[in-house]
Amino acid sequence: MRSANLLNDFAFKYVFGEDCKEANDALKSLLTVFLERKVNHVVVKNSEMVKDYSKMKNSRLDLLVEFDDQTTVDLEMQLRQTKDHLPNRFNYYLARLHGSQDMEGKSYSQLKETIVMIFFNLILVDDDEICSTFTMRKWSGIPFVKESEDCMKLITVEMPKVDLKKPLSDMNEQEKMIYYFLNCHKGMDDSKIKMMVEKDEVIQMLEKRVETISDDRWKKIIEDFRKLHENEERIELQLELEEAQKQVKEAHKAKEEARQATQEARKAQEDARKAEEKAQKQAEKADKKVEEAEKKSKEAEKKSKEAEKKSEEADKKVEKANKQVKQMVCKMYEDGFTLEQISAYCSLNVDEIELLIKS
């Protein structure tokens, strides 16, 4: 086994984005395979690699690629094993990329195509399609603009959908490249990798690039980056857990306020009922009081219903917030956190955490 792993976004950018002919050739092959169009010339707009990898957090590890016709592609290897916010995040990336074009003094018909292509190591869409293209469409499926004029595309490559046991002869070019991404760390120990390197020029090209990051120096860089990446995810997970706990507290507070409002409304309803009874006894002398009491009774009943509705809404918020806490706790447990570490991040004791995990 070797240290190189193209699922690592730092290694991915180095292999395809370094400012050299070999990396550029590999990138053109990658784009040709997944965009399904011949790519003869591209320029990486952010080819700089991080010199001090201890400061990677401030770097961009995606690839911003520009074609001859000024089509721009934002290419990224997304390793994180969660679906949380990913669709919204990449929608934002696409909108930001499309809106970055300088249109001063130009017609909107001159907008250039922008594409965000993400390689996922998880499944987002419940179908068999490995490479999916998303565009702006009506709910019924009708395109917002003509297909030939659609300048914004989000392309997802869901690598776990590839059948890794399929014979190499039955794999298409996309499946072969994804297989290489997922298994290149095995090198020639993998029979399919060995066969592809021997017979497939594109894979040969990738193998040469991967070999350049397989020594001990790169192993340390990639391992340090992996640890940094995991630490950032733990911090993000902790923030999400704290936010969920905050929502739980707010939901409990709302429920308590609703309970108090219900009690006040019931008391007001009871007072109104007593006033109505008293008014009825004095009907001959206090017709006006009877009318006022009836009005109070109706208003109190309305308040009671509103309060009960608030109570129901608060119960739903509590349930939702508790579910979020459970999801966060389970995620941290799956990520290797001990019960004590999870307890330190939240206001739950170990017994409560164990109960959440088992439930």
Side-chain angles (χ1 to χ4, degrees):
M1 296 288 180
R2 56 191 178 188
S3 60
N5 186 344
L6 288 179
L7 300 185
N8 179 292
D9 40 10
F10 183 75
F12 183 83
K13 180 170 183 178
Y14 177 83
V15 167
F16 293 102
E18 190 187 23
D19 188 12
C20 67
K21 182 181 183 303
E22 293 78 8
N24 193 256
D25 288 343
L27 177 61
K28 286 186 290 186
S29 297
L30 173 72
L31 294 171
T32 296
V33 168
F34 288 99
L35 292 180
E36 297 181 330
R37 77 188 208 191
K38 184 64 177 175
V39 178
N40 294 314
H41 183 263
V42 291
V43 175
V44 178
K45 307 295 287 185
N46 59 339
S47 62
E48 71 284 349
M49 294 301 294
V50 181
K51 302 302 181 184
D52 180 1
Y53 56 84
S54 66
K55 299 178 181 178
M56 285 181 189
K57 192 176 190 304
N58 296 323
S59 67
R60 287 193 56 145
L61 290 171
D62 58 346
L63 280 171
L64 192 60
V65 181
E66 186 174 275
F67 289 58
D68 284 343
D69 62 0
Q70 293 184 297
T71 294
T72 307
V73 180
D74 190 1
L75 188 65
E76 183 168 337
M77 174 64 71
Q78 175 61 39
L79 182 61
R80 188 180 178 193
Q81 298 296 310
T82 176
K83 295 181 183 180
D84 295 347
H85 311 303
L86 289 181
N88 284 342
R89 186 202 306 180
F90 292 116
N91 269 338
Y92 170 73
Y93 286 178
L94 179 57
R96 182 178 61 183
L97 180 63
H98 199 64
S100 66
Q101 298 181 61
D102 182 8
M103 296 304 297
E104 185 174 355
K106 299 179 182 178
S107 165
Y108 286 111
S109 63
Q110 296 176 276
L111 278 167
K112 302 301 180 181
E113 185 176 23
T114 50
I115 301 170
V116 170
M117 180 186 292
I118 314 296
F119 287 84
F120 290 99
N121 198 23
L122 67 158
I123 293 176
L124 290 176
V125 183
D126 189 18
D127 62 19
D128 296 327
E129 203 168 349
I130 297 170
C131 189
S132 304
T133 300
F134 298 89
T135 57
M136 292 184 64
R137 292 180 177 271
K138 189 177 178 180
W139 286 111
S140 60
I142 300 174
F144 185 65
V145 294
K146 295 178 182 178
E147 185 175 349
S148 60
E149 299 175 356
D150 196 340
C151 296
M152 297 176 65
K153 293 183 177 67
L154 175 62
I155 299 177
T156 61
V157 182
E158 299 167 86
M159 296 187 290
K161 289 182 178 179
V162 173
D163 181 3
L164 301 180
K165 297 181 180 179
K166 182 188 290 189
L168 193 60
S169 58
D170 294 338
M171 288 185 178
N172 59 34
E173 294 304 309
Q174 291 182 354
E175 290 172 320
K176 289 178 182 178
M177 191 166 287
I178 290 172
Y179 184 93
Y180 184 80
F181 286 171
L182 295 173
N183 295 281
C184 69
H185 60 285
K186 299 177 183 178
M188 296 305 167
D189 293 337
D190 186 294
S191 59
K192 288 181 181 177
I193 294 288
K194 183 177 180 180
M195 189 179 302
M196 283 192 288
V197 170
E198 291 174 351
K199 298 183 178 181
D200 191 305
E201 292 183 1
V202 173
I203 301 301
Q204 287 176 12
M205 188 186 312
L206 292 183
E207 179 68 10
K208 289 179 182 179
R209 292 296 299 152
V210 170
E211 281 295 326
T212 65
I213 56 171
S214 297
D215 58 22
D216 291 339
R217 181 180 67 88
W218 276 102
K219 183 176 181 180
K220 183 179 187 306
I221 291 175
I222 292 173
E223 178 62 19
D224 286 350
F225 175 79
R226 183 187 64 79
K227 291 178 181 178
L228 178 63
H229 203 329
E230 289 178 352
N231 185 56
E232 290 174 358
E233 290 186 353
R234 288 193 182 97
I235 293 173
E236 184 177 345
L237 191 60
Q238 181 181 348
L239 292 175
E240 290 177 359
L241 180 59
E242 290 174 354
E243 180 62 24
Q245 289 176 324
K246 180 181 177 181
Q247 291 177 7
V248 169
K249 291 180 181 179
E250 291 176 351
H252 278 301
K253 182 179 179 181
K255 183 177 180 180
E256 178 61 23
E257 292 174 349
R259 186 188 65 79
Q260 292 178 0
T262 299
Q263 290 180 343
E264 292 174 358
R266 287 176 179 170
K267 184 177 183 301
Q269 189 176 19
E270 179 63 19
D271 292 344
R273 185 187 64 78
K274 291 178 180 179
E276 183 179 3
E277 290 177 352
K278 183 177 180 181
Q280 287 175 343
K281 292 177 182 179
Q282 300 174 347
E284 291 90 7
K285 297 181 181 180
D287 288 340
K288 187 175 180 180
K289 288 185 178 181
V290 170
E291 292 174 358
E292 292 176 351
E294 288 176 345
K295 184 177 179 181
K296 287 183 179 181
S297 179
K298 291 178 180 178
E299 291 175 350
E301 185 175 357
K302 181 179 178 182
K303 290 181 179 180
S304 178
K305 290 180 179 179
E306 291 175 350
E308 288 175 355
K309 183 178 179 181
K310 288 181 179 180
S311 180
E312 290 176 359
E313 291 174 349
D315 286 338
K316 291 179 180 179
K317 289 182 178 179
V318 170
E319 182 179 355
K320 180 179 179 181
N322 284 333
K323 184 177 180 181
Q324 289 178 328
V325 171
K326 179 181 175 181
Q327 290 174 342
M328 293 299 101
V329 168
C330 290
K331 174 61 180 173
M332 293 178 75
Y333 186 73
E334 291 173 359
D335 283 350
F337 282 74
T338 66
L339 298 181
E340 289 75 16
Q341 288 174 327
I342 297 174
S343 177
Y345 283 129
C346 61
S347 58
L348 299 175
N349 59 43
V350 171
D351 291 338
E352 291 173 327
I353 293 171
E354 287 183 328
L355 186 59
L356 279 175
I357 294 172
K358 293 178 181 178
S359 64

